Amino acid sequence: MLRFIMLLIAVLAGPIAQADTTCRDTDLRIAVIPKKSMDALIKDYAPLLRHLSKHLDMPVEIIRAGSYDAVADAVVSGGVDIAWLGPAGYLTAHLRDPGVEPFANLVLEKGAYTPAGNHYQALLVVRADTGAKTLKDLAGQRVALNDPLSTSGSILPNRAFPDAAGMPLSEFFESQVYTGSHDRSLDALLNKRVDAAFVASVRADDYIKHGKMSPDTLRVLWRSAPIYYDPFVFSPMVCPALKGKIRHLMLNEPTALSGFFKSQQATGLMPASHSDYAPLIPLMGETTK
C-alpha cells in the first residue's frame, strides 16, 4: 500500500526530468494499441512512419503488439520510443514510470457519435432492431467489452456505468466477454453473438464511414462523460533533442500527414499533457487496489 501511495503521488506530480545518459536517438520504434487489426494499423500509420523517417534520417518501424498492456509494457521498458495509448493505458504506464510523457493527441472529425475536437466517449450500444430501448431492458443480457486496460471498453464501463445501472457491471449483465478490440466487440454485436457492447464512439463512427453499418444500425443506451482522446507518449529513454524534432514533425506539418489523419478520422494533432488525463486518476486508483 505504501508503495502504491508513493507511485500515485508521482503520477499526480506529473513527468520528472530524465537523465540524458541513457537516451536513445539512433532509430525510432512505435507501438500502437490494437483497436483494430495490426495489419490495418500498420497501413494507416505508413504516412507517419515515412514522414518521420525522412526528416529524422533514421529507421522508423511499428512494433506489433497483441494487447493494450503489451504496449504499456513496451513504452515503460524502453522497448519502443513512442506509443499510442488509451488514456487508462497512459496512466498505468505513467504510474510505473513518471517519465512516460504524453505529447500529442488527434483532433477528430465530427462523426455520428463523436463531436469534432479532441474528445470522445465510451458508448453502450445495442442493435436498433432489438427491443432494448432502456438500460432496464438490458439487465441479465450478454455484453462485449474490449481489453481490460481499455478506457472506453473496460475501465469506464466498470467504474462509471454502475452509477447509471445502480449496480456493478458483473451483477447487471449475465455475462461479459472481453474481445480484445473495439472492432471485435462491434462485430460480435452486429453478428448477434452478444446483446450489447461497450465501444469507443470513434470506432463506431469508423464503421459507418467504411460502410460496415449505417447510422441507424445501433442505438446508444449510455454515454460516458467526454474523455481526452488517446495520447501519443514518449518513452523515458528518448533523447530530449529527438523529442523536440518529433514534436515539430507531428504537430507542425499537417500537409505531410494528411493521409495519416484521414485514416484516423482526424484533421490534425494538438499538444497533450499529463493534466489532460489526470481527472481519470481516481478511477485508475480503484482499478489498481
Side-chain angles (χ1 to χ4, degrees):
M1 177 61 72
L2 178 60
R3 179 175 178 271
F4 171 74
I5 292 172
M6 292 180 70
L7 286 171
L8 185 57
I9 290 172
V11 171
L12 291 169
I16 61 176
Q18 299 294 310
D20 293 347
T21 55
T22 59
C23 70
R24 297 186 69 260
D25 61 0
T26 56
D27 62 332
L28 201 64
R29 299 161 302 183
I30 300 173
V32 298
I33 50 176
K35 287 197 171 187
K36 48 185 175 179
S37 77
M38 188 55 60
D39 288 339
L41 285 167
I42 289 173
K43 181 179 179 181
D44 289 349
Y45 271 71
L48 175 61
L49 269 60
R50 287 194 298 267
H51 178 61
L52 292 174
S53 180
K54 175 182 177 181
H55 293 283
L56 295 173
D57 192 25
M58 65 174 60
V60 180
E61 65 175 327
I62 281 191
I63 305 299
R64 290 177 177 264
S67 70
Y68 285 50
D69 196 46
V71 178
D73 284 342
V75 76
V76 169
S77 68
V80 299
D81 308 295
I82 295 175
W84 185 51
L85 289 166
Y90 156 65
L91 289 172
T92 298
H94 189 81
L95 182 65
R96 293 169 58 187
D97 189 331
V100 174
E101 177 188 1
F103 67 94
N105 55 28
L106 288 161
V107 180
L108 301 169
E109 298 175 341
K110 185 181 186 305
Y113 300 101
T114 310
N118 62 342
H119 288 77
Y120 74 113
Q121 291 176 296
L123 307 179
L124 175 63
V125 292
V126 298
R127 297 183 305 278
D129 60 3
T130 69
K133 296 183 178 179
T134 68
L135 288 183
K136 186 181 295 186
D137 298 328
L138 278 182
Q141 301 297 303
R142 301 163 297 169
V143 66
L145 296 102
N146 180 0
D147 181 286
L149 202 56
S150 170
T151 309
S152 53
S154 179
I155 302 296
L156 290 175
N158 276 285
R159 304 310 311 174
F161 175 75
D163 290 340
M167 64 183 72
L169 198 71
S170 58
E171 295 179 16
F172 184 81
F173 290 102
E174 179 184 45
S175 61
Q176 305 169 56
V177 178
Y178 280 88
T179 65
S181 76
H182 291 286
D183 287 14
R184 290 174 188 164
S185 292
L186 283 167
D187 290 343
L189 178 61
L190 296 174
N191 294 326
K192 301 183 179 181
R193 297 196 299 271
V194 295
D195 304 297
F198 285 102
V199 297
S201 59
V202 179
R203 295 310 305 148
D205 287 334
D206 187 74
Y207 264 47
I208 294 173
K209 180 179 180 180
H210 288 92
K212 296 181 179 180
M213 66 182 190
S214 66
D216 58 357
T217 298
L218 301 180
R219 178 181 296 124
V220 178
L221 296 187
W222 175 81
R223 290 177 178 267
S224 73
I227 321 155
Y228 273 98
Y229 196 49
D230 306 341
F232 288 91
V233 307
F234 287 124
S235 164
M237 307 298 181
V238 183
C239 294
L242 181 56
K243 288 182 180 180
K245 293 177 182 178
I246 293 169
R247 281 191 175 94
H248 176 81
L249 290 170
M250 290 182 64
L251 293 168
N252 299 304
E253 299 190 9
T255 302
L257 294 176
S258 59
F260 172 62
F261 295 148
K262 183 178 180 180
S263 75
Q264 302 300 304
Q265 304 168 64
T267 58
L269 284 158
M270 68 180 300
S273 69
H274 178 78
S275 62
D276 297 336
Y277 304 98
L280 288 172
I281 289 173
L283 297 181
M284 295 302 300
E286 290 294 331
T287 66
T288 54
K289 288 182 180 178

